[in-house]
Amino acid sequence: MARTKEFDPDAALQSALELFWRRGYEATSMADLVEHLGIGRASIYATFGNKRELYLKAMDRYGETRDPSLLDALSKPGPALPAVRAVVRRFAGDASTDPRREKGCFITNTAAELGPHDTEAARRVELSWQHIETLIHSALVRAQGRGELAPDRDPRALARMLLVLMQGMQIVGKTSQDPARVRDAAEQALSLLD
């Protein structure tokens, strides 16, 4: 007769995500995971696989919980350019003043830590970035179609610029003591949409 799990795998995955997000992959040991999740090593392996597999599942969870808000913000009916501006300003605000900003963005952190040498982590980072770029690009195409964005502007290039800016804001915001640094960069980038 199979034993039932004595823990909630969904809650354990969320807890692992929080630990990896705060500490990073390399600085988190299996012993740290056992202690933080409050479950045995064998249960972690049986449910999630090894540490790397758990990390990749945590990346997937992060994307599932973060991306829907962007989709909602950038696909509402009506004017699209104000929605793009609001998303960029929200990223700037989160990166410069949110009390949790020291954690940065889990995807950006992964790109910096694992991207250069872990192809599966890099693939997930790229998928996340492609998703964000596509959402921004679609909103900018709609804005251009509505006359909100000049016809000579390249929505794809602008979407890529905003994606890179938003990821950079996450890095700078982690340690900068000057919130204006991130906000000013965002406003300068947004002026290109005028």
Side-chain angles (χ1 to χ4, degrees):
M1 180 176 203
R3 274 181 66 186
T4 58
K5 291 191 186 318
E6 298 175 7
F7 66 95
D8 177 357
D10 192 57
L13 180 58
Q14 185 62 38
S15 187
L17 165 60
E18 292 297 325
L19 183 62
F20 282 132
W21 191 0
R22 189 172 63 249
R23 299 187 66 188
Y25 177 78
E26 295 295 339
T28 303
S29 68
M30 275 306 283
D32 295 330
L33 288 163
V34 166
E35 181 180 335
H36 187 75
L37 275 59
I39 58 178
R41 184 180 298 254
S43 293
I44 292 173
Y45 283 121
T47 305
F48 303 109
N50 63 28
K51 179 178 114 169
R52 182 174 173 274
E53 291 169 321
L54 176 54
Y55 189 88
L56 295 174
K57 287 178 173 110
M59 285 184 75
D60 294 341
R61 166 60 61 85
Y62 182 83
E64 291 165 5
T65 59
R66 293 290 178 178
D67 290 347
S69 66
L70 281 177
L71 178 61
D72 290 344
L74 293 172
S75 62
K76 289 181 181 172
L81 201 54
V84 172
R85 291 180 187 284
V87 163
V88 172
R89 286 179 176 133
R90 186 183 85 205
F91 265 74
D94 289 350
S96 61
T97 59
D98 190 297
R100 299 165 297 175
R101 70 184 168 81
E102 291 87 10
K103 290 188 335 186
C105 167
F106 190 59
I107 297 298
T108 306
N109 295 348
T110 301
E113 182 182 11
L114 299 179
H117 60 272
D118 185 323
T119 57
E120 192 54 37
R123 186 183 73 76
R124 280 174 165 80
V125 167
E126 183 60 30
L127 287 172
S128 176
W129 288 349
Q130 284 176 358
H131 179 70
I132 295 168
E133 180 183 317
T134 298
L135 291 174
I136 295 170
H137 175 251
S138 295
L140 291 173
V141 167
R142 279 195 345 272
Q144 202 167 46
R146 294 174 54 92
E148 301 168 47
L149 182 65
D152 65 337
R153 299 300 168 97
D154 180 348
R156 174 67 65 197
L158 287 169
R160 289 180 170 166
M161 183 266 306
L162 291 174
L163 168 69
V164 170
L165 170 78
M166 288 162 38
Q167 297 307 302
M169 289 188 305
Q170 298 297 318
I171 296 290
V172 172
K174 283 176 74 165
T175 58
S176 179
Q177 299 302 310
D178 183 2
R181 180 174 286 137
V182 170
R183 286 194 315 264
D184 289 350
E187 291 306 318
Q188 284 301 304
L190 289 175
S191 72
L192 298 173
L193 303 179
D194 294 333

